[in-house]
Amino acid sequence: MKILVAEKISDKGMQVLQESGAQVDLRIRPSREELLEMIPEYDALVVRSYTKVNEELFQHGKKLKVVGRAGNGVDNIDIKAATRNGVIVVNTPDANSVSAAEQTIGLLLACSRNIPQANQAMKERIWNNHAFIGVELYRKTLGIIGLGRIGALVATRMQAFDMRIIAYDPYIPDSRFEKFGVEKKETLEALMSEADFITIHTPKTKETVGMIGREQFAQAKKGLRIVNCARGGLYDEEAVVWAVQEGIVAAG
């Protein structure tokens, strides 16, 4: 078997592939023309986020049997085209779960304490400590949209801040909410109306793109702070601008 690794992956990942007995070729981010010229030789392709794997590529890669994405999600891979061409698509959903959860917590802290703004002010030699007081996380309500792997990691960690954790996820059984000590909200609107902070952890699908729009922000408390460590487009960006202008969203 010949495997093309088209983007940088961990040394451990490369070692596993090489020890499998396959021929492994590393070509980091080849041009589209180069990729299409090379792909007919390979049985497998490994990518991350940069390489677009679509019908065009499958038409050139007639020997392809599997495409692997070293990361969570498969946004850059056309699953329907893969199915039509008999190619299996796999990913590594747990690869960055802890990192994403920790990044979420970092952003929650940054937007609650106005850390980026204060940092920039100091660089400009402006000392105005009263302008960046912010708010505490302590005993505030955190709304989590999507209680999967990453959402659950965030929930357990933010309980250490003595936050009230609520979540909305219609695809998760009640037992999971109970397991992580999270209060279930039956509707997105119910979560929006109670949360002081919101973090979203859903895949990017037709159903979830723009799922937080004007209608949802209109239900929210004024002073809401929002975080997105999932995918771009889950918040309707024009609606976010409107919510900021209306004083609904304080930071994000």
Side-chain angles (χ1 to χ4, degrees):
M1 173 177 277
K2 294 184 68 174
I3 303 173
L4 174 63
V5 180
E7 298 182 52
K8 176 67 176 174
I9 64 173
S10 70
D11 292 339
K12 185 175 181 180
M14 285 295 297
Q15 182 181 348
V16 169
L17 292 175
Q18 290 163 346
E19 290 177 351
S20 70
Q23 176 184 327
V24 183
D25 297 330
L26 177 63
R27 291 290 301 275
I28 297 177
R29 292 194 177 190
S31 70
R32 189 67 178 178
E33 292 74 19
E34 290 172 331
L35 179 61
L36 295 178
E37 184 178 343
M38 290 187 293
I39 202 64
E41 305 175 28
Y42 291 94
D43 304 287
L45 172 67
V46 178
V47 300
R48 296 193 70 179
S49 301
Y50 175 80
T51 306
K52 303 303 178 187
V53 183
N54 56 13
E55 182 68 42
E56 179 188 39
L57 188 142
F58 290 125
Q59 287 301 311
H60 283 74
K62 294 296 186 182
K63 292 176 64 178
L64 276 178
K65 300 176 182 67
V66 60
V67 173
R69 179 171 184 271
N72 187 15
V74 288
D75 296 356
N76 54 314
I77 302 174
D78 187 331
I79 300 298
K80 291 183 178 178
T83 301
R84 285 195 299 270
N85 289 276
V87 179
I88 297 170
V89 176
V90 296
N91 68 343
T92 55
D94 289 322
N96 64 346
S97 295
V98 172
S99 296
E102 291 181 354
Q103 176 73 359
T104 298
I105 293 165
L107 293 177
L108 286 168
L109 288 165
C111 72
S112 70
R113 309 310 304 185
N114 299 313
I115 293 173
Q117 298 92 323
N119 178 64
Q120 185 60 37
M122 289 297 293
K123 288 180 178 178
E124 295 173 4
R125 298 178 181 272
I126 299 170
W127 177 251
N128 185 3
N129 58 322
H130 295 293
F132 308 115
I133 293 174
V135 297
E136 292 182 338
L137 297 175
Y138 179 64
R139 291 190 175 176
K140 298 297 194 305
T141 298
L142 172 63
I144 300 176
I145 302 170
L147 197 63
R149 291 178 302 275
I150 298 169
L153 288 172
V154 172
T156 56
R157 284 155 174 74
M158 296 316 293
Q159 285 164 355
F161 285 77
D162 206 11
M163 295 192 83
R164 173 192 175 215
I165 313 295
I166 62 176
Y168 169 73
D169 193 327
Y171 302 105
I172 296 294
D174 291 353
S175 59
R176 187 170 177 83
F177 288 83
E178 295 168 5
K179 177 181 178 181
F180 293 104
V182 176
E183 184 179 335
K184 181 179 181 178
K185 292 299 165 184
E186 298 294 343
T187 66
L188 185 55
E189 288 70 25
L191 179 139
M192 296 293 296
S193 67
E194 297 183 31
D196 300 299
F197 293 81
I198 288 178
T199 178
I200 190 164
H201 301 284
T202 70
K204 187 175 183 179
T205 65
K206 290 180 180 179
E207 184 180 10
T208 61
V209 169
M211 68 184 297
I212 312 295
R214 278 201 185 200
E215 182 180 349
Q216 287 71 36
F217 282 123
Q219 304 286 329
K221 294 180 180 180
K222 289 207 169 185
L224 175 69
R225 286 167 164 78
I226 61 175
V227 166
N228 181 6
C229 278
R231 295 286 189 269
L234 302 179
Y235 292 103
D236 181 322
E237 294 176 5
E238 291 184 1
V240 172
V241 173
W242 171 82
V244 170
Q245 293 170 342
E246 292 294 314
I248 298 169
V249 171

